[in-house]
Amino acid sequence: MIEFKKVNKTYSDGTEAVKDFSLHIEEGEIVTLIGPSGCGKTTTMKMVNRLIEPTLGEIYINNKNIKKYNIHELRWNIGYVLQQIALFPHMTIGENISVVPEMKKWKRKDVDKRAEELLQMVGLDPSTFKKRMPQELSGGQQQRIGVIRALAADPDIILMDEPFSALDPISREQLQDDIRKLQKEIKKTILFVTHDIDEAMALGDKVCLMKGGEIVQIDTPQNLILHPATDFVKDFIGERKSPWQTAVDVIAVPDDEVVLSQELYKKGEYDEQKIYFVIEENGTYLGTLQYGKLIDGETLDNNIPLYKATEALQSKEKLPVLNGNKLVGVLSYKLIVNYLKSKTKVENGVIHS
Ligand SMILES: Nc1ncnc2c1ncn2[C@@H]1O[C@H](COP(=O)(O)OP(=O)(O)OP(=O)(O)O)[C@@H](O)[C@H]1O
Ligand SMILES: [Mg+2]
């Protein structure tokens, strides 16, 4: 989908901001870019929509060199959230969100509907906020508008440069959730810059760690922790026994919403639209009930480490954890993320256990 081929950027004063940068982002993937201040993250990102031109190398989108696209079309199809919020000060919030859909000549009522949907998505009541001016919003609220404005015209690619940095932890988590959901449903391709290693790990299918304009390591979150390429990587994410090594049954929980007794199953007392894990009275797992059909669903052994479970959980929302043939709990992606958060403390971008 997006491919950097040996990209270099040297600014006119001789600063080598990005060096020999090669990266392939698949369609529907989230890659998080992380690294110390000044390592070239923003420069890398701005080269994708040609706000900055590389000095050397090429960038391709859908196998076509970005120089071959009409620049306006290129930019309209790439949502961009800037590191510094830049809402148009003389336009209302509603108008700010609608800029790109209008350039794309969407129908008035579709533009309005979209703006309202997006405001609701980030917890801002459209009837209050649509008519306000940017300076009548708090910093965090403006940041949320910046995020949804980038999503407004439904672009295939979204570039986000530290979009959540001014938000409180709860709004931040909410928006992270929204981004993940959105990406699951409509498979956006996202390049996401952050200073927060937890955020990088929680959001990224892959995490790209940079230093001095170069990629030090690009890998899945679990591999970055388990197989750091250099001491810099180790220091950056913090040396510790990784919580990813924890056995899954430590964090699996009983979950009444998805565990169904054999008795209720036989009586047909369940919602056919949902997925259940059916158990006998003594806890023996019988199978997974999917749209009214009992199948040999996927399960997790109680003693496998978390990092192995995350792969299975990429396609399933929840999975049953078994000790032998007995169900001991249910595991979800969210539980894993919360657990990892509880196990770590971040100071200046470095994780401490
Ligand atoms: N227009 C410019 N002219 C000269 N040097 C620049 C220019 N823009 C950025 N730089 C330099 O290029 C390097 C990379 O900057 P960039 O903004 O890409 O870093 P960053 O990783 O996004 O940092 P931060 O985390 O602080 O946002 C820095 O050394 C910066 O000073
Ligand atoms: Mg930056």
Side-chain angles (χ1 to χ4, degrees):
M1 181 82 184
I2 309 178
E3 189 160 18
F4 291 81
K5 287 191 180 166
K6 294 186 178 291
V7 171
N8 281 60
K9 175 67 194 181
T10 306
Y11 285 108
S12 52
D13 66 354
T15 306
E16 289 186 280
V18 175
K19 296 176 211 162
D20 199 26
F21 189 98
S22 294
L23 170 69
H24 190 180
I25 308 176
E26 312 273 352
E27 186 169 354
E29 208 173 38
I30 302 188
V31 172
T32 45
L33 267 186
I34 188 161
S37 183
C39 71
K41 303 181 295 294
T42 297
T43 304
T44 301
M45 188 160 265
K46 283 185 171 170
M47 288 191 284
V48 177
N49 59 6
R50 299 189 60 194
L51 289 171
I52 293 177
E53 297 290 346
T55 313
L56 282 174
E58 315 284 340
I59 300 171
Y60 291 81
I61 291 180
N62 289 329
N63 297 317
K64 182 169 157 183
N65 193 317
I66 55 171
K67 289 183 189 155
K68 304 249 163 79
Y69 286 92
N70 170 300
I71 187 112
H72 303 294
E73 263 173 61
L74 180 81
R75 290 196 185 146
W76 293 350
N77 290 314
I78 300 177
Y80 181 39
V81 187
L82 288 94
Q83 188 167 7
Q84 276 93 23
I85 329 147
L87 300 178
F88 301 113
H90 305 297
M91 292 185 185
T92 65
I93 296 306
E95 287 163 353
N96 261 283
I97 300 170
S98 309
V99 170
V100 180
E102 267 168 9
M103 286 198 271
K104 282 182 150 181
K105 305 213 183 316
W106 285 23
K107 290 198 190 97
R108 182 76 251 157
K109 74 172 199 303
D110 293 337
V111 175
D112 286 341
K113 195 170 146 241
R114 180 74 178 155
E116 278 169 26
E117 261 171 28
L118 288 166
L119 280 166
Q120 242 137 19
M121 187 183 106
V122 294
L124 299 173
D125 180 12
S127 60
T128 312
F129 285 94
K130 224 174 143 183
K131 293 272 175 298
R132 284 213 194 156
M133 302 305 284
Q135 68 271 21
E136 296 167 340
L137 267 58
S138 73
Q141 288 167 340
Q142 290 185 34
Q143 213 172 19
R144 272 179 271 177
I145 302 300
V147 171
I148 61 177
R149 187 177 60 176
L151 305 178
D154 220 10
D156 297 326
I157 296 173
I158 303 168
L159 309 174
M160 297 185 149
D161 200 345
E162 306 204 31
F164 307 149
S165 54
L167 298 181
D168 59 279
I170 292 173
S171 316
R172 198 174 173 121
E173 226 171 277
Q174 231 166 34
L175 269 171
Q176 286 174 8
D177 260 4
D178 288 336
I179 298 284
R180 249 198 311 271
K181 255 186 243 149
L182 182 94
Q183 196 251 8
K184 243 186 191 167
E185 281 163 22
I186 31 185
K187 284 280 162 198
K188 301 290 182 191
T189 305
I190 302 176
L191 185 57
F192 190 106
V193 170
T194 173
H195 262 114
D196 176 346
I197 185 82
D198 276 343
E199 186 164 86
M201 298 280 188
L203 273 180
D205 296 307
K206 286 191 203 135
V207 177
C208 178
L209 178 58
M210 293 178 74
K211 183 191 176 192
E214 291 175 299
I215 296 179
V216 183
Q217 186 169 4
I218 165 140
D219 227 321
T220 57
Q222 53 266 53
N223 272 339
L224 213 62
I225 292 171
L226 297 173
H227 310 290
T230 67
D231 284 345
F232 173 75
V233 180
K234 240 191 238 171
D235 289 346
F236 200 83
I237 57 184
E239 263 188 280
R240 68 216 152 101
K241 181 178 181 301
S242 164
W244 289 95
Q245 303 275 23
T246 308
V248 289
D249 60 359
V250 173
I251 61 166
V253 295
D255 188 337
D256 291 340
E257 266 179 47
V258 289
V259 176
L260 183 72
S261 70
Q262 188 179 19
E263 197 188 343
L264 290 178
Y265 165 60
K266 282 192 173 148
K267 285 190 195 154
E269 286 181 21
Y270 54 85
D271 180 346
E272 286 219 358
Q273 302 303 312
K274 289 192 178 159
I275 290 176
Y276 297 94
F277 309 126
V278 183
I279 55 168
E280 289 176 9
E281 210 171 327
N282 66 6
T284 302
Y285 167 79
L286 285 176
T288 295
L289 186 64
Q290 210 167 313
Y291 310 118
K293 255 195 185 157
L294 195 62
I295 57 163
D296 277 341
E298 201 170 345
T299 61
L300 299 169
D301 280 335
N302 65 312
N303 53 14
I304 65 162
L306 277 189
Y307 71 90
K308 284 201 174 152
T310 54
E311 268 158 47
L313 277 165
Q314 271 167 11
S315 53
K316 304 273 186 329
E317 201 172 326
K318 292 179 177 178
L319 282 174
V321 174
L322 305 188
N323 182 351
N325 57 9
K326 294 257 169 41
L327 184 120
V328 292
V330 174
L331 190 66
S332 65
Y333 196 76
K334 189 154 191 153
L335 281 171
I336 296 181
V337 172
N338 287 340
Y339 174 76
L340 293 175
K341 276 195 183 149
S342 75
K343 283 286 159 202
T344 51
K345 195 174 83 193
V346 181
E347 274 169 6
N348 307 323
V350 177
I351 279 191
H352 304 275
S353 298

